[in-house]
Amino acid sequence: EVQLVESGGGLVKPGGSLRLSCAASGFTFNSAWMSWVRQGPGKGLEWVGRIRPKTDGGTTDYAAPVKDRFTISRDDSSNTLYLQMNSLKTEDTALYYCTLGQGLLPGWGQGALVTVSS
Amino acid sequence: DIVMTQSPDSLAVSLGERATIHCKSSQSVLYSSNNKNYLAWYQQKPGQSPKLLIYWASTRESGVPDRFSGSGSGTDFTLTISSLQAEDVAVYYCQQYYGSPFTFGPGTKVHIK
């Protein structure tokens, strides 16, 4: 069974940084495409970005609103996905979901809440 | 970017009745080389994470009850719940995975009349 457990959420001031982690189990992590999706308070779903497995280059793609501020990385030795968020803005306030997949998303974590406020 | 729209925004249906949700993409999500529509439906129950219901526009994910069905092709798609159950109260999102960024519709809230 796919399990994805996010951690690292919290309150941060505008302009600050935060790193989310996602512990993955129940599937072969090192061959999996992984993504982050966020959901603003009372809002819909927004795809944030994805990372390919190292066998496919391990490269990343991002949505325009977070490009050049957010970085997705992975540690296959510990089955962990990361989302480094820099230069945070109030509009980045959201529940951030770690997901299995790149476009089609068959597995979701419970989410980590990030609040950007002064 | 491909823009996804859904209608209606909200839907009240009696228990046992049919619920129909429409989704439209701003460009076709049908990939001609494999004749597959890169369109998925997700269900998000209150306080829960989204769950994949349907992919390739009409293929049910394992474990999804057969009262859920998807149809459509190209730019117009439909999710149908044939006989609404109390546990189906949720927000339903369509999503295209044809091309990055993989965009979602705004969601349709289904509740009991």
Side-chain angles (χ1 to χ4, degrees):
Chain A
E1 180 194 358
V2 171
Q3 288 211 338
L4 299 166
V5 180
E6 301 94 337
S7 60
L11 175 64
V12 61
K13 287 182 167 52
S17 298
L18 203 62
R19 188 177 82 157
L20 303 182
S21 301
C22 170
S25 61
F27 60 98
T28 306
F29 182 78
N30 63 8
S31 62
W33 293 63
M34 300 293 295
S35 299
W36 289 93
V37 174
R38 68 183 180 182
Q39 186 169 33
K43 295 188 178 179
L45 302 168
E46 180 182 23
W47 181 82
V48 170
R50 64 177 171 184
I51 187 166
R52 296 168 178 77
K54 290 203 165 46
T55 51
D56 286 320
T59 52
T60 52
D61 299 295
Y62 300 94
V66 307
K67 191 173 165 56
D68 299 325
R69 298 188 300 123
F70 289 13
T71 301
I72 299 173
S73 61
R74 62 193 301 156
D75 180 350
D76 291 341
S77 67
S78 63
N79 290 355
T80 304
L81 181 72
Y82 298 102
L83 178 65
Q84 176 68 43
M85 301 180 289
N86 297 331
S87 303
L88 281 160
K89 306 176 181 180
T90 55
E91 53 263 41
D92 295 319
T93 293
L95 190 60
Y96 284 76
Y97 293 103
C98 168
T99 67
L100 169 63
Q102 49 150 336
L104 186 61
L105 305 169
W108 296 64
Q110 85 289 349
L113 182 61
V114 173
T115 303
V116 185
S117 175
S118 55
Chain B
D1 297 0
I2 298 175
V3 177
M4 307 299 292
T5 55
Q6 288 182 233
S7 62
D9 296 333
S10 180
L11 186 58
V13 177
S14 300
L15 289 172
E17 295 300 303
R18 179 183 299 259
T20 302
I21 300 169
H22 301 281
C23 172
K24 191 171 179 67
S25 56
S26 62
Q27 66 186 73
S28 177
V29 298
L30 174 63
Y31 194 39
S32 56
S33 66
N34 59 9
N35 201 37
K36 286 183 179 291
N37 287 284
Y38 284 60
L39 189 284
W41 289 94
Y42 298 84
Q43 174 194 61
Q44 186 175 32
K45 294 183 179 180
Q48 295 186 16
S49 304
K51 170 190 168 184
L52 176 64
L53 284 182
I54 285 172
Y55 56 98
W56 301 134
S58 61
T59 302
R60 270 189 304 276
E61 176 74 325
S62 175
V64 173
D66 61 6
R67 62 179 180 273
F68 290 93
S69 63
S71 63
S73 184
T75 61
D76 291 280
F77 301 91
T78 301
L79 174 70
T80 302
I81 309 172
S82 60
S83 175
L84 191 77
Q85 305 300 303
E87 61 265 32
D88 301 333
V89 167
V91 179
Y92 293 85
Y93 296 93
C94 62
Q95 181 221 15
Q96 64 80 19
Y97 51 102
Y98 182 89
S100 174
F102 304 112
T103 43
F104 293 85
T108 294
K109 187 172 185 177
V110 174
H111 51 103
I112 307 297
K113 185 186 290 182

